[in-house]
Amino acid sequence: MEDVRALLAEYGQLRGDGLSAADRHRLLVDVVAALVRRTDAEAVVDHGSPEEPAVYFELAGRDYAVTVTSASGTDAVDAARAAVRARECAEIRPGERWVLVCAATPGSAMDDALRSVLGSRGVLLDRDHLEAAVCDLVRFAVLVRAAFRRPRTCSRAAGRRGGGPGGRCWGRPVPGQEPGHGPLSGLPVR
């Protein structure tokens, strides 16, 4: 519990106006590194430029690189573009996954312009994700893993093949089949 309080105090400093942009970035990287170290004590931190990945770690046999930014609003899109350019110029290990943490952008402000900048290069975590991890409501590693997990949807092709058990595909009715029919009709559909 004491480590959560210390991390909350450190994170709280980011809310103040007294920090330079460089100090704010360094503190933000330190906060994210502390979150990662809850899962991977051997995480590596690199206080380079704000556009470059700053935290590297391993999770379930995969390598991850995390870039953090404190930009918000329209500046967040510009920061994301700069991060993508820096990421494309960096040496990327085969299979390495990339996370961009937009620490000053709430989830409600994550728009299509920001998401489209990343495309399939990586995933975005917003301020809401960061604050949940800082408060120890959920581990940062769990958020990262969930962000990379494919959405469980039913494709038409899978539906024609019969999908999953009972003619269902990932918990949804197969196209053309009425819900509530079949061997799993008594089970709730998510």
Side-chain angles (χ1 to χ4, degrees):
M1 189 65 165
E2 195 60 38
D3 65 324
V4 174
R5 285 191 188 117
L7 195 56
L8 278 169
E10 194 171 355
Y11 180 74
Q13 293 176 27
L14 291 168
R15 298 289 189 168
D17 293 331
L19 295 174
S20 69
D23 289 342
R24 184 175 307 280
H25 182 259
R26 177 176 285 281
L27 184 58
L28 184 55
V29 168
D30 290 344
V31 166
V32 171
L35 294 173
V36 169
R37 286 188 175 131
R38 288 177 175 170
T39 306
D40 181 359
E42 297 176 10
V44 175
V45 178
D46 180 8
H47 289 282
S49 77
E51 297 83 23
E52 296 174 347
V55 181
Y56 299 87
F57 67 102
E58 184 268 330
L59 175 64
R62 290 189 180 259
D63 291 323
Y64 292 84
V66 181
T67 303
V68 295
T69 181
S70 59
S72 62
T74 57
D75 291 339
V77 174
D78 294 336
R81 282 190 186 109
V84 166
R85 283 191 302 273
R87 182 77 179 128
E88 289 172 347
C89 294
E91 289 184 32
I92 301 171
R93 293 181 181 179
E96 186 175 69
R97 293 178 164 188
W98 181 51
V99 180
L100 176 61
V101 178
C102 294
T105 306
S108 60
M110 291 290 216
D111 61 5
D112 290 337
L114 188 54
R115 285 185 184 89
S116 69
V117 170
L118 258 67
S120 62
R121 294 176 192 94
V123 297
L124 287 168
L125 294 181
D126 58 41
R127 182 179 72 201
D128 301 336
H129 294 115
L130 182 61
E131 289 180 354
V134 167
C135 294
D136 206 23
L137 297 175
V138 63
R139 296 283 182 181
F140 187 79
V142 170
L143 293 171
V144 169
R145 186 178 298 150
F148 278 101
R149 194 163 279 144
R150 287 181 165 214
R152 295 182 174 193
T153 60
C154 182
S155 71
R156 292 222 180 265
R160 284 192 293 274
R161 289 191 306 269
R168 296 199 178 274
C169 182
W170 300 107
R172 291 187 166 79
V174 173
Q177 180 179 350
E178 293 292 322
H181 294 93
L184 300 179
S185 60
L187 299 176
V189 177
R190 292 183 212 182

